[in-house]
Amino acid sequence: MTADASNAKIDSNAVNRALRALVWPDLDRLGFVRRTSRTAWRNGEAVTHVVNFQSFNRYLADLMSATTFSFSVNLGVFYPEIANISGMSAFLRDPGRPQESHCQARKHLAKGVAQPGDPSQGDRLNPRLDSAAPRDWVDRPDVWLVLADGSNVDEVVRDARDRILADGMPWLERLSDLTEARRHFAEVTGSTLGPGIVGEQYGGGLGSPNRLQFLGALSAVLGDQAGLRAIVSTMRETRYFVEHPAALNRLMARLD
């Protein structure tokens, strides 16, 4: 299966129409009432959920031999209190509608349909491989290929919707529990969907400065003073926070 973008008969508006008809009504019913053509938000007391349909620029599409209106589905959980501790909130245009890339917990969904290509090209799954040579489409678990003539657009959008409902919503709910979120930031290393393809990510490696800030902020929100003291103690001994103490100082101010 190949997708020759140069012979495309449709554009991204066809995908947008399919999203309006097949995806957004279901997400509306689940509380995602704020949205643009490709991103929807659901706001809660302590978190904001993000569902994003990512299209591709010409460079990335050509690397994959996909159309530019093919897409990936990215989910995120944004924790305002973490943003406040880290200082990120000062740079957000609308904290109630963060970009998926600004979320501290992120998940890239895998599709449920097979779109096979040439198995001999498997080493080209990695989009960071830069080559001017033409390449065949290789089925990627994180890319819903929309054919150039648009003949499969409803099929792939329906599958994306089904994956959001079956795989994405439970993940969003799980990471909305602040105790469970804190466990993830403390213990979960993240995951991949294939070579060079991120599945879940939680702001860096275990014990990284980002993770420490996240753990401290969630401990503060949860009212866990003992947990907060332990994180502050670790941060005091971490070179990054010796040189960049702003987040540490904000957490110290939350100690009784």
Side-chain angles (χ1 to χ4, degrees):
M1 182 186 302
T2 61
D4 184 358
S6 64
N7 295 325
K9 298 177 182 178
I10 66 167
D11 59 21
S12 61
N13 288 326
V15 177
N16 292 344
R17 287 192 294 271
L19 294 178
R20 287 196 298 269
L22 301 172
V23 176
W24 298 142
D26 283 306
L27 293 191
D28 277 344
R29 287 189 285 273
L30 292 173
F32 289 84
V33 295
R34 304 181 71 187
R35 66 172 183 266
T36 64
S37 61
R38 291 298 182 103
T39 303
W41 293 269
R42 178 168 67 179
N43 300 113
E45 290 185 8
V47 299
T48 295
H49 294 159
V50 184
V51 176
N52 167 255
F53 283 77
Q54 174 192 352
S55 58
F56 305 105
N57 60 32
R58 175 65 62 188
Y59 174 75
L60 286 176
D62 286 349
L63 282 180
M64 297 183 291
S65 193
T67 55
T68 57
F69 36 89
S70 299
F71 59 85
S72 292
V73 182
N74 307 315
L75 309 182
V77 182
F78 180 79
Y79 304 86
E81 190 57 29
I82 292 178
N84 292 336
I85 292 297
S86 68
M88 176 195 292
S89 57
F91 301 97
L92 297 177
R93 182 175 300 176
D94 181 353
R97 299 204 307 179
Q99 297 299 309
E100 181 272 333
S101 59
H102 291 152
C103 292
Q104 296 90 358
R106 302 170 67 190
K107 181 177 180 69
H108 308 293
L109 290 182
K111 63 190 178 186
V113 294
Q115 298 183 290
D118 180 355
S120 70
Q121 302 295 315
D123 62 339
R124 291 182 175 178
L125 275 171
N126 189 340
R128 292 172 293 187
L129 291 176
D130 190 358
S131 172
R135 57 182 64 196
D136 295 327
W137 160 257
V138 176
D139 196 11
R140 289 179 55 106
D142 63 329
V143 175
W144 281 260
L145 176 69
V146 179
L147 297 177
D149 63 3
S151 58
N152 70 335
V153 63
D154 285 354
E155 173 193 358
V156 294
V157 168
R158 284 194 186 96
D159 181 69
R161 175 200 61 198
D162 293 346
R163 300 280 57 79
I164 291 170
L165 297 177
D167 303 331
M169 289 301 137
W171 180 84
L172 290 173
E173 294 294 342
R174 188 162 60 252
L175 271 295
S176 297
D177 181 318
L178 298 187
T179 299
E180 179 65 9
R182 184 171 62 170
R183 186 190 70 78
H184 268 68
F185 291 128
E187 301 175 5
V188 177
T189 59
S191 66
T192 61
L193 299 176
I197 302 174
V198 174
E200 297 177 19
Q201 55 191 128
Y202 298 97
L206 295 176
S208 66
N210 271 346
R211 292 277 192 121
L212 290 173
Q213 292 179 67
F214 297 173
L215 291 170
L218 292 177
S219 295
V221 174
L222 290 166
D224 180 3
Q225 286 286 305
L228 178 55
R229 286 192 182 91
I231 293 299
V232 165
S233 178
T234 300
M235 291 172 70
R236 282 174 166 166
E237 298 174 359
T238 302
R239 179 175 178 178
Y240 175 86
F241 295 107
V242 173
E243 298 175 352
H244 307 88
L248 173 59
N249 291 337
R250 294 187 187 101
L251 286 172
M252 291 176 62
R254 301 291 294 273
L255 288 170
D256 291 340

